[in-house]
Amino acid sequence: MATKNKKSRLDEVKNDYDIVIIGGGITGANILWDATLRGFKCLLVEKSDYASGTSQATSKLIHGGLRYLKNLEFSLVRESLRERRILGKISPHGVRTLGFIIPIHSLFERLLLWAGMFLYNLLAFDRNRQIIEDCLIPRYTWNSKPESIYKSPALSRDNLLGSFQYYDYLNVNPEHHTSEFIFSAKAREADAFNYMQVTSIAKQNSGGYLVGIKDNISNEAKLVSTKVLINSAGPWADFIEALAGIAPEKKLLRSKGIHVVVRNICSKECIILQKKDGSHLFVIPWRNKTIVGTTDTVYDENPENFKVKESEIKSLLEEVNSSFGLANLTLADVDYYYGGLRPLVEDLDSKKDTYSASRKSEILHYTKEGFEGFFSALGGKYTTSRGVAEKLVDQVSIFLKNQKIPCATSVTPLLGGDYASKQELVKILYSKYPKQKGVKLETLADRYGMEAIKILGYKGIEEYILPNGEPFYEEEIEYAVKNEDIIHATDFYFRRSGSGTLGRINEQERKKMDAKLAKHLGWSSARLKSEAIEVDKRYLWAKG
């Protein structure tokens, strides 16, 4: 949405809705998409930008959760594997098949992991059903010691017997993937706004809720009536409960996790290592870079005060240096970092730490507390968010319609997701745009799927080179501005295009990209300067 349009955004907000959704992360985005497909009149509001909280802080994986087998959470693993397949089906352009290597150092470890691999494979019996060939997932394999070293030369060789290799999906750009659910819903007449905050919640005598919302850009406010209110605010969910005057039924644990993006230190497979505390560390190949993560520590402060400290980054680098790599990583190798808070749900008397806490989700309807039609979706993980939304909207449809309206999200492709194969898609693009370079067609097909047709419809001549060597095209900037609710430059660089998450862009390339962004958004030179400063700040970490 271009800011040069001076019309108030609140003029676009209707006075009444069937459903108002609080929170624009992956859970809220899925709820919006599901409820819209079922015919409900929906509004989603997000106080910051879409996918700016937990959803931007993932390990960029769509996975079944092999380690949850250790906790005997078989139903969670099966649910995750089912949802992995569905996400591969409805958004094939957003995922890539990725191999995971687990080094083995003892016979006992080999036997234990073999049992885990066998069970994981069994629970994923339908993994390739209705999946295009580009996203097929192979069966697990055993790599001998020579094969393991060949595939990952940086592995520690001390007592190495070999490795198991299994497969899940890489989620290339989870921030954009999250917003695709929102934009797919908006294409079907849902309303959604970033930088719009809920400030008050009041029950109405006639039923439903009167919700106060404030546009954080203009500071204008409005009251909206809704039959159902859904809290999907992630780490802020208990703040929304408190705003409504609801005493919590469950304890919300906040787990702090950080990742760093460094130079490429691994090959094509993700390496799973064990940290000193017994938890796991992922070394993930991603866009010609490597992601190292994650940490898992209790966070007791206000989520608004979240920051990543230099000492935490150093500690993460020390962990990977102790068990992987040819040369030690230092702060100078960190091209980008990111972190966030995972909302984990436990009973009020639970004493579990964040690593042991379940990643299961909870759906609450506060009828006993006198808040009929007020729902919360708590906990869960990125991979299972579509399934959580389905269960929640099932309950909402029964509440509003006295019947369960069928869910369509498991079979309806997202924007860009409706194509038979990448090969066929590139052929379609070439037939429509025969004068374009093959590398451009392939790159845009990879990033956007069928939406590449729309992107190539814009006229652009400039090409920019990102820090990993990937090309980025002028048309992508115009597409994002006109279709993806860009308010700030940080929205574009970090949560739509993902171009800024690879590290600092070359100064000359950045200036050209900034200029195009400013032109399409109607920014003055002073506004562009302040926006560029905010982008630059994102590469600095907190001291301490």
Side-chain angles (χ1 to χ4, degrees):
M1 187 182 106
T3 55
K4 60 185 177 185
N5 184 351
K6 298 301 182 183
K7 181 182 176 183
S8 169
R9 293 199 304 160
L10 287 179
D11 290 343
E12 301 172 43
V13 178
K14 301 175 181 66
N15 292 322
D16 60 89
Y17 289 91
D18 296 323
I19 302 170
V20 169
I21 301 155
I22 305 170
I26 189 61
T27 302
N30 268 281
I31 294 168
L32 178 70
W33 175 229
D34 191 320
T36 301
L37 286 179
R38 298 200 212 194
F40 292 112
K41 184 179 172 185
C42 300
L43 167 68
L44 178 146
V45 290
E46 162 57 51
K47 69 183 181 66
S48 184
D49 189 26
Y50 310 133
S52 59
T54 305
S55 300
Q56 59 82 35
T58 74
S59 296
K60 303 190 192 297
L61 303 174
I62 302 292
H63 65 109
L66 178 66
R67 76 175 179 88
Y68 307 141
L69 292 176
K70 183 180 177 182
N71 301 335
L72 305 181
E73 294 184 278
F74 302 121
S75 60
L76 175 60
V77 175
R78 172 56 197 155
E79 177 190 12
S80 300
L81 290 168
R82 183 185 67 243
E83 293 302 322
R84 181 190 70 182
R85 180 185 65 81
I86 291 172
L87 289 175
K89 180 172 69 172
I90 66 174
S91 56
H93 57 294
V95 303
R96 305 282 184 275
T97 303
L98 178 65
F100 291 71
I101 288 179
I102 306 178
I104 300 297
H105 300 90
S106 72
L107 182 59
F108 173 76
E109 199 177 21
R110 180 173 179 177
L111 290 171
L112 188 67
L113 260 294
W114 174 83
M117 291 288 142
F118 179 81
L119 191 53
Y120 199 64
N121 188 68
L122 193 65
L123 291 170
F125 62 89
D126 59 348
R127 63 185 179 274
N128 291 324
R129 182 162 60 85
Q130 298 177 324
I131 296 295
I132 68 171
E133 291 181 352
D134 305 278
C135 298
L136 295 177
I137 291 184
R139 187 180 186 274
Y140 71 90
T141 58
W142 168 256
N143 296 318
S144 66
K145 181 176 180 178
E147 288 170 330
S148 301
I149 293 171
Y150 172 75
K151 290 183 177 181
S152 183
L155 273 178
S156 171
R157 287 85 185 277
D158 294 343
N159 301 315
L160 181 67
L161 298 182
S163 63
F164 277 108
Q165 183 168 342
Y166 72 100
Y167 301 85
D168 273 315
Y169 284 142
L170 177 72
N171 185 2
V172 184
N173 186 347
E175 300 90 339
H176 191 266
H177 188 244
T178 297
S179 65
E180 282 181 341
F181 286 94
I182 295 172
F183 301 140
S184 296
K186 290 183 75 170
R188 296 185 183 239
E189 301 187 346
D191 289 337
F193 296 90
N194 49 354
Y195 300 100
M196 202 168 280
Q197 184 169 357
V198 169
T199 56
S200 64
I201 299 169
K203 289 191 285 187
Q204 299 185 105
N205 293 333
S206 57
Y209 297 88
L210 198 62
V211 181
I213 57 175
K214 184 184 81 168
D215 185 338
N216 288 335
I217 304 302
S218 67
N219 287 322
E220 297 172 303
K222 181 172 183 171
L223 291 174
V224 170
S225 175
T226 183
K227 298 171 186 173
V228 165
L229 188 59
I230 298 176
N231 171 17
S232 60
W236 288 267
D238 50 352
F239 287 83
I240 299 299
E241 289 177 331
L243 187 64
I246 297 173
E249 293 185 24
K250 295 283 184 177
K251 179 165 69 174
L252 190 70
L253 295 174
R254 295 179 180 88
S255 164
K256 181 177 184 177
I258 71 167
H259 298 76
V260 294
V261 177
V262 299
R263 57 184 170 81
N264 189 1
I265 62 169
C266 61
S267 49
K268 293 182 179 179
E269 284 82 24
C270 171
I271 311 300
I272 302 178
L273 306 170
Q274 193 165 47
K275 292 160 66 176
K276 297 167 189 171
D277 64 2
S279 61
H280 290 90
L281 184 73
F282 290 89
V283 182
I284 307 164
W286 174 74
R287 301 179 69 182
N288 283 335
K289 299 278 187 176
T290 297
I291 296 172
V292 177
T294 179
T295 60
D296 198 328
T297 55
V298 175
Y299 185 85
D300 292 323
E301 298 178 44
N302 188 310
E304 297 295 336
N305 299 330
F306 179 87
K307 62 183 68 171
V308 176
K309 298 177 182 177
E310 182 176 298
S311 59
E312 294 172 312
I313 294 175
K314 283 182 176 179
S315 177
L316 187 56
L317 295 178
E318 286 169 8
E319 285 282 2
V320 72
N321 287 338
S322 70
S323 56
F324 186 81
L326 301 175
N328 280 351
L329 295 171
T330 68
L331 288 175
D333 293 303
V334 177
D335 297 319
Y336 184 69
Y337 72 91
Y338 60 95
L341 300 174
R342 308 176 193 93
L344 307 175
V345 186
E346 289 293 337
D347 294 329
L348 291 173
D349 58 353
S350 174
K351 303 297 183 184
K352 286 186 178 179
D353 61 24
T354 55
Y355 186 74
S356 303
S358 175
R359 267 54 177 173
K360 68 181 184 297
S361 60
E362 293 277 356
I363 296 170
L364 304 178
H365 186 189
Y366 302 98
T367 50
K368 290 181 182 177
E369 293 82 357
F371 288 82
E372 277 202 319
F374 192 117
F375 295 81
S376 280
L378 304 176
K381 52 200 276 270
Y382 192 106
T383 302
T384 57
S385 55
R386 190 218 62 87
V388 171
E390 178 178 346
K391 293 172 188 173
L392 192 152
V393 183
D394 281 349
Q395 292 188 29
V396 170
S397 66
I398 292 169
F399 176 77
L400 288 176
K401 301 287 187 181
N402 289 317
Q403 60 177 320
K404 188 165 78 172
I405 301 169
C407 172
T409 57
S410 65
V411 294
T412 308
L414 296 182
L415 284 174
D418 192 9
Y419 58 94
S421 70
K422 182 185 171 184
Q423 202 172 54
E424 290 301 314
L425 175 55
V426 173
K427 285 180 182 177
I428 292 169
L429 296 178
Y430 185 74
S431 68
K432 289 182 176 291
Y433 302 99
K435 295 182 180 180
Q436 295 284 8
K437 293 179 182 178
V439 66
K440 185 173 187 176
L441 301 180
E442 291 173 11
T443 300
L444 295 179
D446 263 344
R447 287 180 186 153
Y448 304 98
M450 282 293 284
E451 281 295 280
I453 295 174
K454 187 172 182 179
I455 292 168
L456 288 163
Y458 295 109
K459 304 301 179 187
I461 56 172
E462 288 189 354
E463 178 181 323
Y464 321 101
I465 301 301
L466 301 182
N468 65 342
E470 286 181 19
F472 194 85
Y473 302 101
E474 183 181 343
E475 295 95 320
E476 295 179 79
I477 298 177
E478 186 171 358
Y479 172 83
V481 169
K482 291 185 175 177
N483 298 278
E484 298 191 332
D485 293 351
I486 304 296
I487 303 293
H488 294 296
T490 49
D491 304 337
F492 170 76
Y493 282 109
F494 302 114
R495 291 177 293 276
R496 299 299 186 279
S497 70
S499 55
T501 60
L502 295 157
R504 289 182 184 269
I505 299 170
N506 171 275
E507 185 178 355
Q508 294 306 312
E509 301 287 72
R510 249 292 298 280
K511 282 182 178 179
K512 291 190 289 184
M513 293 174 75
D514 283 352
K516 289 296 177 185
L517 198 60
K519 176 185 175 183
H520 290 300
L521 286 163
W523 288 345
S524 65
S525 57
R527 171 71 185 272
L528 174 57
K529 183 178 180 180
S530 67
E531 292 284 342
I533 289 171
E534 292 304 310
V535 172
D536 292 336
K537 283 181 182 177
R538 186 57 191 79
Y539 298 102
L540 307 176
W541 47 73
K543 296 295 181 182

